[in-house]
């Protein structure tokens, strides 16, 4: 296998028998998190949203809902807001947020983005394009309950 890499020194070509891609995490698709409904355009993994925003320089949506309060979700809520999107809220199924307190403060509180704990998205609506989401309250209360 022949690879072309972009390094600080420029292009570099190497040959390898095998390749391992190690990203340090695993994203789950909408099917894996049991979200019911159709699969309209406009539902993105965090990685896809980051790619559109950071690499392509495009805003993936004007109205956003973030599912999951881990650090990546929090950072994407802030980034999308800075790029001009309206983040309706960050939804976390657990009763407490998953991200660092610093990221909650800097990414949500500073930008007045609501955090809803013990809640999750259970259904998406839209024929061709995402039009709405249905949220569901999980057991217990929490911030924004």
């Amino acid at each position: 296998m022949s690879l072309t890499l972009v390094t600080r020194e420029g292009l570099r070509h190497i040959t390898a028998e095998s390749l391992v891609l190690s990203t340090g995490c695993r994203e789950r698709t909408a099917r894996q998190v049991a979200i019911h409904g159709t699969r309209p355009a406009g539902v993105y993994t965090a990685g896809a949203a980051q790619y559109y925003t950071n690499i392509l320089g495009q805003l993936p949506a004007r109205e956003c809902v973030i599912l999951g309060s881990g650090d990546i979700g929090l950072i994407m809520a802030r980034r999308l807001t800075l790029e001009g999107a309206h983040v309706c809220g960050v939804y976390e199924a657990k009763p407490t947020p998953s991200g660092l307190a610093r990221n909650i403060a800097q990414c949500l509180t500073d930008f007045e983005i609501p955090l809803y704990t013990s809640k999750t998205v259970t259904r998406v609506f839209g024929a061709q394009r995402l039009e709405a989401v249905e949220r569901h309250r999980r057991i217990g209360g929490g911030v924004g309950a």
Side-chain angles (χ1 to χ4, degrees), residues 29-80:
T29 66
R31 290 190 193 281
Q32 291 173 310
V33 293
I35 297 175
H36 299 285
T38 59
R39 295 293 175 249
V43 178
Y44 301 100
T45 63
Q50 286 179 314
Y51 176 76
Y52 275 98
T53 307
N54 299 337
I55 304 298
L56 299 179
Q58 298 176 355
L59 190 59
R62 295 265 175 225
E63 294 285 324
C64 306
V65 171
I66 307 289
L67 182 56
S69 66
D71 291 320
I72 297 300
L74 300 174
I75 291 166
M76 280 309 297
R78 176 182 61 192
R79 179 63 191 269
L80 290 166

Side-chain angles (χ1 to χ4, degrees), residues 20-35:
V20 175
L21 174 63
S22 178
T23 63
C25 68
R26 179 178 65 100
E27 286 192 312
R28 291 183 284 168
T29 66
R31 290 190 193 281
Q32 291 173 310
V33 293
I35 297 175

Side-chain angles (χ1 to χ4, degrees), residues 5-144:
L5 307 171
V6 179
T7 68
R8 289 183 178 147
E9 292 77 33
L11 291 178
R12 182 174 169 211
H13 302 280
I14 62 171
T15 303
E17 290 184 30
S18 62
L19 173 67
V20 175
L21 174 63
S22 178
T23 63
C25 68
R26 179 178 65 100
E27 286 192 312
R28 291 183 284 168
T29 66
R31 290 190 193 281
Q32 291 173 310
V33 293
I35 297 175
H36 299 285
T38 59
R39 295 293 175 249
V43 178
Y44 301 100
T45 63
Q50 286 179 314
Y51 176 76
Y52 275 98
T53 307
N54 299 337
I55 304 298
L56 299 179
Q58 298 176 355
L59 190 59
R62 295 265 175 225
E63 294 285 324
C64 306
V65 171
I66 307 289
L67 182 56
S69 66
D71 291 320
I72 297 300
L74 300 174
I75 291 166
M76 280 309 297
R78 176 182 61 192
R79 179 63 191 269
L80 290 166
T81 299
L82 289 170
E83 295 300 324
H86 173 249
V87 178
C88 302
V90 173
Y91 289 82
E92 174 57 57
K94 297 175 185 173
T96 57
S98 302
L100 295 171
R102 153 186 96 193
N103 284 335
I104 294 167
Q106 294 174 357
C107 299
L108 300 185
T109 307
D110 290 356
F111 291 90
E112 299 179 351
I113 299 169
L115 171 63
Y116 301 100
T117 58
S118 298
K119 293 188 172 96
T120 190
V121 172
T122 55
R123 183 178 300 272
V124 297
F125 300 93
Q128 298 297 315
R129 184 114 186 112
L130 181 65
E131 297 173 12
V133 298
E134 177 181 88
R135 68 180 183 145
H136 176 73
R137 183 181 170 117
R138 293 285 181 156
I139 298 172
V143 177

